[in-house]
Amino acid sequence: MMKFENTREFAQKLDKNDPLKSFRDKFYFPNFTKDEVVYFTGNSLGLQPKSTSDYIKEELDAWAKYGVEGHFLAEKPWFSYHEFLTEKAAKIVGAIPEEVVITHSLTTNLHLLMVSFYRPEGKRTKIICEAKAFPSDQYALESQVKFHGLDLSENLVEIAPREGEHLIREEDVLNKIAEVGDELAMVMIGGVNYYTGQLFDMKSITEAGHAVGATVGFDLAHAAGNINLKLHDWGVDFAAWCGYKYLNSSPGGVSGMFVHERHAYNPELPRFAGWWGYDKETRSQMEPGFNPMRGAEGWQLSNAPILGMAAHLASLDIFEEAGMDRIGEKRDQITAFLEAVIEDVSKKNSDRCTFEIITPKDKTKRGAQLSILAHGQGKALFDALTEQGVIADWREPNVIRIAPAPLYNSYEDCYRFGVCLEKAIQ
Ligand SMILES: *Cc1c(COP(=O)(O)O)cnc(C)c1O
């Protein structure tokens, strides 16, 4: 591994050699702070590509010009607009196009997928999930269990870090899956834990779930556009993610879902249906009886919100140009550099510094996020960072989350973060 130096010159040298350096200029950086911003919250809301407004404007113009006929006459006809996004999104999550559709919002998609893939029956009724999952996921899981008239405490099996530890041990997940065995209906966890930044081995979890006859799905909110995913090869049954974190596709923007090819056309799978999931060729005949599209498209309910889809397309085109391979390489290096900067600051201020990074050190166990656990003085430290133009994310009770997004963050951002951190400590 490269030996890092916590100096501006060294950071600038890394920037100069960064194959993705030109991408920074494709984004707007917030300019409301007193000092120049350090934007490390791409894991919460990605920055706006400068091209987004053109993509949206194109559809506003088509709407003005064609009215309803834009469904067919617009340059990118709205009737099938989602198809412009499918292949690009599929590449990002490692899927074949038929397995992916861009539609709805994340929590909506999780519910729609669980309606199909959480099918408690007989003694096979349990769900394995992570303890302290993202709140929306917790509520979604709880309400799914209750929806089937089942008891929560018996059927929601949460896996937590061991006493005194911050991360979930993968062996604990695998052992729990084996232990619950033929009572396990579904495994559903975050591919990257939103709080600690821990990346799970989705392949082995999927294999373990399948070995006991359960379905396996992942919430990829913090993984899509961040991790090099191979959902198809890993055999994952279903997954959902949002478009607005690493994928930079506007606040609350459209989201994605994945359904493995092996379920592409399984009329036995129950689902909540809507007209946009109906077979495209015969949809306009409006016949009674639901005849779904093959693949993930069959889970669409409604016609697509074109303006949000346009914002997503703008970003997907940037990802296409950068490529997930290069993004992944920079992710590992910039995250390691940021980590080294923080460790250096921490070492130099060891007398008054009271924080530690709880995200795994191993680059195969994390993405672009580092979670700093600040014992005691957390909020004061966070506020002192904010004061200096650092946009980070505070999570009660004591964690500061920062994420250098490989597409637009620079190594110099990391260096500047270190300078701000040192001042904040003092
Ligand atoms: C961001 C995030 C969500 C947000 O859900 P929405 O439906 O988009 O509001 C849900 N789950 C996880 C794990 C997240 O990180």
Side-chain angles (χ1 to χ4, degrees), residues 159-304:
I159 306 186
R162 293 186 192 180
E163 189 70 34
E165 299 184 6
H166 301 295
L167 304 171
I168 293 174
R169 292 202 198 184
E170 220 140 57
E171 63 193 275
D172 290 356
V173 181
L174 301 178
N175 289 339
K176 186 57 87 176
I177 290 172
E179 183 193 315
V180 179
D182 61 4
E183 295 182 2
L184 184 63
M186 178 181 78
V187 179
M188 212 299 282
I189 61 177
V192 172
N193 182 274
Y194 83 100
Y195 189 72
T196 61
Q198 178 180 11
L199 163 64
F200 289 100
D201 180 346
M202 291 178 244
K203 179 167 185 274
S204 59
I205 291 174
T206 301
E207 284 166 3
H210 288 172
V212 300
T215 57
V216 181
F218 293 96
D219 182 328
L220 301 176
H222 285 267
N226 175 26
I227 304 300
N228 302 88
L229 300 163
K230 294 197 165 68
L231 297 182
H232 175 83
D233 292 348
W234 296 339
V236 172
D237 292 293
F238 69 94
W241 58 93
C242 52
Y244 52 82
K245 290 176 178 165
Y246 291 97
L247 292 175
N248 315 320
S249 300
S250 80
V254 290
S255 299
M257 61 159 91
F258 166 92
V259 176
H260 198 277
E261 184 184 29
R262 80 175 85 87
H263 308 296
Y265 188 76
N266 175 0
E268 301 298 308
L269 269 186
R271 66 180 101 192
F272 286 170
W275 72 323
W276 230 248
Y278 195 95
D279 176 45
K280 191 164 70 171
E281 305 309 324
T282 50
R283 186 188 299 156
S284 59
Q285 294 164 19
M286 312 256 177
E287 295 283 337
F290 185 70
N291 179 23
M293 299 273 296
R294 264 187 75 85
E297 289 188 350
W299 272 262
Q300 295 172 105
L301 299 182
S302 303
N303 76 103

Side-chain angles (χ1 to χ4, degrees), residues 3-296:
K3 181 107 182 54
F4 296 123
E5 290 165 33
N6 181 17
T7 64
R8 188 181 293 272
E9 296 66 46
F10 189 82
Q12 286 172 341
K13 198 171 77 192
L14 289 174
D15 281 328
K16 216 171 130 228
N17 295 326
D18 172 10
L20 295 180
K21 61 172 178 268
S22 63
F23 283 81
R24 182 176 174 90
D25 196 41
K26 293 183 191 289
F27 293 86
Y28 290 114
F29 279 74
N31 58 4
F32 70 96
T33 51
K34 189 159 62 38
D35 303 314
E36 195 190 335
V37 75
V38 176
Y39 194 81
F40 275 166
T41 32
N43 58 336
S44 200
L45 180 66
L47 290 180
Q48 180 185 154
K50 291 177 181 167
S51 57
T52 302
S53 55
D54 288 341
Y55 283 70
I56 293 179
K57 180 80 169 37
E58 183 182 333
E59 302 316 321
L60 288 173
D61 290 347
W63 181 19
K65 180 169 178 187
Y66 298 115
V68 69
E69 300 303 336
H71 280 293
F72 300 98
L73 299 182
E75 185 154 338
K76 301 189 184 82
W78 306 330
F79 176 78
S80 47
Y81 195 96
H82 66 274
E83 293 172 11
F84 296 111
L85 289 77
T86 302
E87 224 164 285
K88 297 170 192 198
K91 267 194 220 164
I92 292 174
V93 297
I96 58 174
E98 187 175 69
E99 295 172 322
V100 166
V101 68
I102 299 301
T103 184
H104 319 131
S105 61
L106 169 54
T107 309
T108 308
N109 286 343
L110 279 177
H111 273 302
L112 292 172
L113 290 164
M114 286 197 279
V115 161
S116 299
F117 292 101
Y118 176 51
R119 304 295 307 156
E121 219 185 305
K123 68 185 225 184
R124 193 182 285 284
T125 56
K126 295 185 177 171
I127 298 176
I128 285 183
C129 62
E130 71 217 288
K132 295 212 202 121
F134 190 90
S136 198
D137 298 39
Q138 288 180 37
Y139 308 143
L141 288 163
E142 286 176 12
S143 57
Q144 285 285 331
V145 172
K146 287 190 190 160
F147 175 73
H148 288 281
L150 295 167
D151 179 70
L152 261 188
S153 60
E154 268 174 40
N155 289 291
L156 210 49
V157 181
E158 295 185 339
I159 306 186
R162 293 186 192 180
E163 189 70 34
E165 299 184 6
H166 301 295
L167 304 171
I168 293 174
R169 292 202 198 184
E170 220 140 57
E171 63 193 275
D172 290 356
V173 181
L174 301 178
N175 289 339
K176 186 57 87 176
I177 290 172
E179 183 193 315
V180 179
D182 61 4
E183 295 182 2
L184 184 63
M186 178 181 78
V187 179
M188 212 299 282
I189 61 177
V192 172
N193 182 274
Y194 83 100
Y195 189 72
T196 61
Q198 178 180 11
L199 163 64
F200 289 100
D201 180 346
M202 291 178 244
K203 179 167 185 274
S204 59
I205 291 174
T206 301
E207 284 166 3
H210 288 172
V212 300
T215 57
V216 181
F218 293 96
D219 182 328
L220 301 176
H222 285 267
N226 175 26
I227 304 300
N228 302 88
L229 300 163
K230 294 197 165 68
L231 297 182
H232 175 83
D233 292 348
W234 296 339
V236 172
D237 292 293
F238 69 94
W241 58 93
C242 52
Y244 52 82
K245 290 176 178 165
Y246 291 97
L247 292 175
N248 315 320
S249 300
S250 80
V254 290
S255 299
M257 61 159 91
F258 166 92
V259 176
H260 198 277
E261 184 184 29
R262 80 175 85 87
H263 308 296
Y265 188 76
N266 175 0
E268 301 298 308
L269 269 186
R271 66 180 101 192
F272 286 170
W275 72 323
W276 230 248
Y278 195 95
D279 176 45
K280 191 164 70 171
E281 305 309 324
T282 50
R283 186 188 299 156
S284 59
Q285 294 164 19
M286 312 256 177
E287 295 283 337
F290 185 70
N291 179 23
M293 299 273 296
R294 264 187 75 85

